Amino acid sequence: METLAHWDGGPGPWILLFPVVWAAVVVAAVTVLRRTVRRGRPGPWRLPDNRRPTGDSPLAVLGRRFASGEIDEDEYWRRLSVLDEQFGPTKGGAA
């Protein structure tokens, strides 16, 4: 009794179906990942960056003042320790 998998003593034309299915899976995965990145949504591999203060938060203002030279390093660290006491420890530093 002959089956489709052993057509005429060999694997037959059905063997070509498996690479086509795997290629379709790879193309679909790449397409989904590219659309996710293009729309600005973080993918499953990227966590939001919570270490950098943004906007007008006290840490952002302090960092900008230090970067522009308005305050020196000693003043920066002194004020940062006060902010740490008031708001909790900063994540990863606020420089």
Side-chain angles (χ1 to χ4, degrees):
M1 176 175 174
E2 288 189 30
T3 62
L4 291 176
H6 295 90
W7 177 71
D8 208 21
W14 298 102
I15 195 73
L16 299 176
L17 182 66
F18 296 111
V20 171
V21 170
W22 280 111
V25 168
V26 169
V27 167
V30 168
T31 301
V32 167
L33 290 175
R34 290 178 106 193
R35 285 186 175 199
T36 300
V37 170
R38 281 188 189 150
R39 291 184 181 166
R41 286 184 263 159
W45 60 89
R46 189 173 17 158
L47 297 174
D49 189 12
N50 293 331
R51 289 177 275 143
R52 292 186 71 189
T54 58
D56 291 330
S57 71
L59 294 175
V61 172
L62 182 62
R64 281 196 298 270
R65 290 188 66 198
F66 178 63
S68 68
E70 290 181 40
I71 57 175
D72 63 352
E73 185 177 1
D74 293 330
E75 181 74 12
Y76 171 78
W77 287 112
R78 188 170 56 79
R79 290 182 184 219
L80 184 61
S81 67
V82 171
L83 289 174
D84 283 345
E85 290 173 8
Q86 188 174 8
F87 297 110
T90 60
K91 297 176 183 173

